[in-house]
Amino acid sequence: MNRFFAPKGNILSLSESDENHIINVLRLREGDEIIICDGNLIDYRCSITQISKNSLDLRIVERFENNAEPPSKITLYQGFPKADKLELIIQKCVELGIFKIVPVLTERTIVKIKPDFSKKLDRLQKISEAAAKQSGRGIIPEICMPISFKDAAKEMGNYDLSLMPYEGEKENNLKGILSGFSGENISIFIGPEGGFSEKEVEFAKSSKIQTVSLGNRILRTETAGLATLAITLHEIGEL
């Protein structure tokens, strides 16, 4: 069944673009049903009662809780990558179950943030929404404005558990650190191309961020976050 998010929680009022998609792309008819999520873990099965040229009317048939969200909220602090890698990271992490994504400007970040980045942010948020629709999520994960490495490390110090995959870590692994974890929130810090500097790693450790090994192979930045997220979800009983 086709799925949509209600703007600002108003279940019976979809966005203009969603209504156009339903009418002119999906070509649904009166009596057809769709799922609308309020963005706060509640889904509604709705019936289309009337369709005009540019709008439609809906009736709520059933209300039920969305069960697609992981038991812990996981935030990805992603070292800002080159090209369109961030779009791929957002799409796949949202499908897996990420709660929020924060791009981070690190010592080895190559990308220069343009003054009009807010326009880019709108596109990234739409990618998050599309992935949330496709994967049946109960929320639309937030994509944040980029922040500095130090600001990210300070924020991560407030989480129940904060992880930094680092190729120099030889002892700690995800399975060991996550064994028995039952906290409400987790953060994951992924470096950009070129990884973290030793100075950044030491600062992260001083901010209560735990470095972890992802094995004997070095992963690309667009792979490392996905792998860490998937393993973390598995170890907390989600996958």
Coordinates of all heavy atoms in Angstrom, one line a residue, residues 9 15 17 28 41 46 50 64 67 89 108 122-123 138 151 154 160 164 171 175 184 189 202 211 214 238:
G9 N 1.6 16.8 10.9 CA 0.7 15.9 11.6 C -0.7 16.0 11.3 O -1.6 15.3 11.9
S15 N 0.6 17.0 1.3 CA 1.3 18.1 0.5 C 0.8 18.1 -0.9 O 0.3 17.1 -1.4 CB 2.8 17.9 0.5 OG 3.2 16.8 -0.2
S17 N 2.6 18.2 -3.6 CA 3.3 17.2 -4.4 C 2.8 15.8 -4.2 O 2.8 15.0 -5.2 CB 4.8 17.3 -4.1 OG 5.1 17.0 -2.8
L28 N -4.5 6.7 -8.5 CA -5.5 6.0 -7.6 C -6.8 6.6 -7.8 O -7.0 7.7 -8.3 CB -5.0 6.2 -6.2 CG -3.6 5.6 -5.8 CD1 -3.3 5.8 -4.3 CD2 -3.5 4.2 -6.2
L41 N 5.2 8.1 14.9 CA 5.0 6.7 15.2 C 3.6 6.2 15.2 O 3.3 5.1 15.6 CB 5.6 6.3 16.6 CG 7.1 6.7 16.9 CD1 7.5 6.3 18.3 CD2 8.0 6.0 15.8
C46 N -6.1 5.1 5.3 CA -7.1 6.1 4.8 C -7.7 5.7 3.5 O -7.0 5.2 2.6 CB -6.5 7.5 4.7 SG -5.9 8.2 6.3
Q50 N -12.9 11.3 -2.4 CA -13.2 12.2 -3.5 C -11.9 12.7 -4.1 O -11.0 13.0 -3.4 CB -14.1 13.4 -3.1 CG -14.6 14.2 -4.2 CD -15.5 15.3 -3.8 OE1 -16.0 15.3 -2.6 NE2 -15.8 16.2 -4.7
F64 N -3.2 2.8 13.8 CA -2.4 1.8 14.5 C -0.9 2.3 14.7 O -0.5 3.2 14.0 CB -2.4 0.5 13.7 CG -2.0 0.6 12.3 CD1 -0.7 0.4 11.8 CD2 -3.0 1.0 11.3 CE1 -0.4 0.6 10.5 CE2 -2.7 1.1 10.0 CZ -1.4 0.9 9.6
N67 N 5.6 0.2 14.1 CA 6.6 -0.6 14.8 C 7.9 -0.8 14.1 O 8.7 -1.7 14.3 CB 6.1 -2.0 15.1 CG 5.7 -2.8 13.8 OD1 6.0 -2.3 12.7 ND2 5.2 -4.0 14.0
I89 N 24.6 7.8 1.5 CA 24.6 7.5 3.0 C 23.3 7.7 3.6 O 22.8 6.9 4.4 CB 25.8 8.3 3.6 CG1 27.1 7.8 3.1 CG2 25.7 8.2 5.1 CD1 28.3 8.8 3.5
R108 N 40.3 16.5 7.8 CA 40.6 16.0 6.5 C 39.4 16.1 5.5 O 39.5 15.6 4.4 CB 41.1 14.6 6.6 CG 42.4 14.5 7.3 CD 42.8 13.0 7.6 NE 44.1 12.9 8.2 CZ 44.6 11.8 8.7 NH1 43.9 10.7 8.7 NH2 45.8 11.8 9.3
D122 N 17.7 21.1 1.9 CA 16.3 20.8 1.5 C 16.3 19.5 0.7 O 15.4 18.6 0.9 CB 15.7 21.9 0.7 CG 15.4 23.1 1.6 OD1 15.3 23.0 2.8 OD2 15.2 24.2 1.0
R123 N 17.2 19.4 -0.3 CA 17.2 18.2 -1.1 C 17.6 16.9 -0.3 O 17.0 15.9 -0.4 CB 18.3 18.3 -2.2 CG 18.5 17.1 -3.0 CD 19.4 17.3 -4.2 NE 19.8 16.0 -4.7 CZ 19.1 15.1 -5.4 NH1 17.8 15.4 -5.6 NH2 19.5 14.0 -5.9
G138 N 8.4 5.2 10.9 CA 7.4 6.0 11.6 C 7.8 7.4 11.9 O 7.0 8.2 12.4
D151 N 32.5 20.5 18.0 CA 31.1 20.5 18.4 C 30.4 19.2 18.3 O 29.6 18.8 19.2 CB 30.3 21.5 17.5 CG 30.6 23.0 17.8 OD1 31.2 23.2 18.9 OD2 30.3 23.8 16.9
K154 N 31.6 17.1 21.3 CA 31.0 17.5 22.6 C 29.5 17.0 22.6 O 29.1 16.6 23.7 CB 31.0 19.1 22.6 CG 32.4 19.6 22.9 CD 32.4 21.1 22.9 CE 33.8 21.7 23.1 NZ 33.9 23.2 23.0
D160 N 24.2 8.0 25.5 CA 24.4 6.8 26.4 C 25.6 6.0 26.0 O 26.3 5.4 26.8 CB 23.2 5.9 26.4 CG 22.0 6.5 27.0 OD1 22.1 7.4 28.0 OD2 20.8 6.2 26.6
M164 N 33.3 5.4 17.7 CA 34.1 5.9 16.6 C 34.9 4.7 15.9 O 35.9 4.3 16.5 CB 35.1 7.0 17.0 CG 36.0 7.4 16.0 SD 37.3 8.6 16.6 CE 36.4 10.1 16.4
E171 N 41.7 -3.5 19.9 CA 41.1 -4.3 21.0 C 39.6 -4.3 21.0 O 39.0 -5.3 21.0 CB 41.7 -3.9 22.3 CG 43.2 -4.1 22.5 CD 43.7 -3.6 23.8 OE1 42.9 -3.3 24.7 OE2 44.9 -3.7 24.0
K175 N 30.8 -5.9 19.0 CA 30.1 -6.9 19.7 C 30.4 -6.8 21.2 O 29.5 -6.9 22.0 CB 30.5 -8.3 19.2 CG 29.8 -9.5 19.8 CD 30.2 -10.8 19.2 CE 29.4 -12.0 19.8 NZ 28.0 -11.9 19.5
E184 N 19.0 4.4 25.7 CA 18.1 5.0 24.8 C 18.7 5.6 23.5 O 18.0 5.7 22.5 CB 17.2 6.0 25.5 CG 16.4 5.5 26.7 CD 15.5 6.6 27.3 OE1 15.7 7.7 26.9 OE2 14.8 6.2 28.3
F189 N 30.4 7.9 15.0 CA 31.2 9.0 14.4 C 32.0 8.3 13.2 O 32.9 7.5 13.5 CB 32.1 9.6 15.4 CG 32.5 11.0 15.1 CD1 33.1 11.8 16.2 CD2 32.3 11.6 13.9 CE1 33.4 13.1 16.0 CE2 32.6 13.0 13.7 CZ 33.2 13.7 14.7
E202 N 42.3 11.4 19.6 CA 42.5 11.7 21.1 C 41.5 12.6 21.7 O 41.1 12.4 22.8 CB 44.0 12.3 21.2 CG 45.1 11.3 20.9 CD 44.9 10.0 21.7 OE1 44.7 10.0 22.9 OE2 45.0 8.9 21.1
T211 N 36.6 4.3 20.7 CA 37.0 3.8 19.4 C 36.8 2.3 19.3 O 36.9 1.6 20.2 CB 38.5 4.1 19.1 OG1 39.3 3.6 20.2 CG2 38.8 5.6 19.1
L214 N 36.5 -2.3 13.0 CA 35.5 -2.9 12.1 C 36.2 -4.1 11.4 O 35.7 -4.5 10.4 CB 35.0 -1.9 11.1 CG 34.2 -0.8 11.7 CD1 33.7 0.1 10.5 CD2 33.0 -1.3 12.5
E238 N 17.7 -5.6 17.0 CA 16.8 -5.1 16.0 C 16.8 -6.0 14.8 O 15.8 -6.1 14.1 CB 17.2 -3.7 15.7 CG 16.4 -3.0 14.6 CD 14.9 -2.9 14.9 OE1 14.5 -3.1 16.0 OE2 14.1 -2.6 13.9

